[in-house]
Amino acid sequence: VAYLSEAGVDSIGVLGSTGNYAYLSREERASVTRLAIEHAADTPVIVGVGALRTRDVIALAEDAQLAGAQGLLLAPVSYQVLNDEEVLGLFTDLNSACDLPVCVYDNPGTTQFSFSRELYVRVAQLPNVRSIKMPGATLAGEGAAADMAQLRKTLPDRVSLGASNDPFCTPAMLAGCDVWYSVFAGLFPRTALTMCRAAQRGDAETAEKLNTRLAPLWDYFKRYGSLRVAASLAVELGFASEPMLPRPLQPLPEAIKADLLPLIDALELERPN
């Protein structure tokens, strides 16, 4: 967390999908939140509060607010797949219970729930909703810029549009997305910032060149999942030690790591001092 703050990132997200929030107890999540805020200096910390029951979401939000978090990230986690009214009710209840800004996390690959554009509009009317974290693949194709511009017309000005799924984030930013919610930046913040700032100023050549260079890493994300790849890279960089993934999750096999880890230097990615 201190490494990210020193690199100058705009904000730090903890207890997201790569943060394994769904596997942690309330006490463990509160500890992670306090540690992150303690070491983030002046960098805002956004805390994931997803849980199966609304009462638990609200309790986690209260813990985050008490610790000094400056925003919340919420995906509609479920066992029984939720419908639109249930998801709207979840965010409405959180809005009523907590004053912190909320980022709506549309993560259908994990939650099995996909937000419609109509539901984006309905949820965005809640005053605490300030950002929507969208699947990057939906923001990076042909016509994405026009589609995003059309969506903006239906949302309050206070609501930013953010992209997730790192391989698609550079084209999404170039298409007009405001925020890159990144796994990659948690390990390589300076490289990510270079790409992000280039896209924000419309320097497509620089942003796309960097994104293309990282294609071998993006391929590992696609094949093995960004969580497992990020976990192995975190150990290699000295940020963590094995075992670090909560069972039943398991690390990448040694043969795969043997091919993956040399990419840090081959792709000219930074290492912490």
Side-chain angles (χ1 to χ4, degrees):
V1 170
Y3 180 59
L4 297 177
S5 180
E6 291 162 4
V9 299
D10 297 315
S11 63
I12 297 172
V14 298
L15 298 173
S17 298
T18 310
N20 286 306
Y21 71 93
Y23 298 89
L24 304 181
S25 69
R26 179 179 178 182
E27 292 74 19
E28 288 170 329
R29 291 168 74 162
S31 177
V32 169
T33 299
R34 289 192 298 269
L35 284 167
I37 292 168
E38 177 185 350
H39 293 280
D42 295 328
T43 307
V45 174
I46 301 169
V47 179
V49 293
L52 287 174
R53 292 191 66 169
T54 298
R55 68 175 186 188
D56 297 325
V57 169
I58 291 172
L60 292 163
E62 290 171 347
D63 291 345
Q65 186 163 17
L66 184 64
Q70 292 178 275
L72 305 174
L73 173 70
L74 177 59
V77 182
S78 66
Y79 181 82
Q80 304 293 339
V81 178
L82 302 176
N83 61 43
D84 283 12
E85 296 307 316
E86 290 166 337
V87 170
L88 178 61
L90 169 66
F91 283 94
T92 300
D93 290 342
L94 178 60
N95 185 86
S96 299
C98 184
D99 297 329
L100 289 176
V102 174
C103 174
V104 176
Y105 189 5
D106 184 359
N107 185 10
T110 297
T111 65
Q112 305 304 306
F113 179 87
S114 295
F115 283 77
S116 64
R117 295 303 168 93
E118 178 186 3
L119 186 57
Y120 281 159
V121 173
R122 295 176 72 191
V123 172
Q125 303 312 308
L126 298 168
N128 289 350
V129 171
R130 303 297 175 83
S131 187
I132 301 174
K133 181 179 177 181
M134 306 167 69
T138 67
L139 305 172
E142 185 176 349
D147 187 40
M148 207 176 309
Q150 184 62 35
L151 176 60
R152 285 186 189 281
K153 293 179 182 179
T154 67
L155 301 176
D157 291 341
R158 59 178 160 75
V159 178
S160 66
L161 297 180
S164 62
N165 195 344
D166 287 328
F168 299 99
C169 286
T170 294
M173 294 289 290
L174 289 169
C177 225
D178 304 299
V179 186
W180 176 6
Y181 291 105
S182 178
V183 174
F184 174 80
L187 298 168
F188 308 105
R190 291 176 174 81
T191 302
L193 279 167
T194 299
M195 296 169 66
C196 181
R197 298 294 186 244
Q200 287 175 324
R201 65 176 182 267
D203 182 357
E205 181 179 359
T206 298
E208 289 173 347
K209 183 178 179 179
L210 277 169
N211 195 49
T212 299
R213 192 181 85 193
L214 293 173
L217 182 59
W218 300 153
D219 185 55
Y220 275 89
F221 276 26
K222 180 179 180 181
R223 283 192 283 167
Y224 304 109
S226 59
L227 168 62
R228 294 176 183 84
V229 172
S232 294
L233 293 171
V235 172
E236 173 68 13
L237 294 169
F239 292 129
S241 58
E242 297 284 12
M244 64 173 297
L245 291 176
R247 301 284 291 186
L249 297 177
Q250 296 185 25
L252 293 174
E254 291 300 323
I256 295 171
K257 287 194 286 187
D259 292 330
L260 166 69
L261 299 181
L263 286 180
I264 296 175
D265 296 323
L267 299 178
E268 299 178 350
L269 299 172
E270 74 265 24
R271 290 178 178 266
N273 294 328

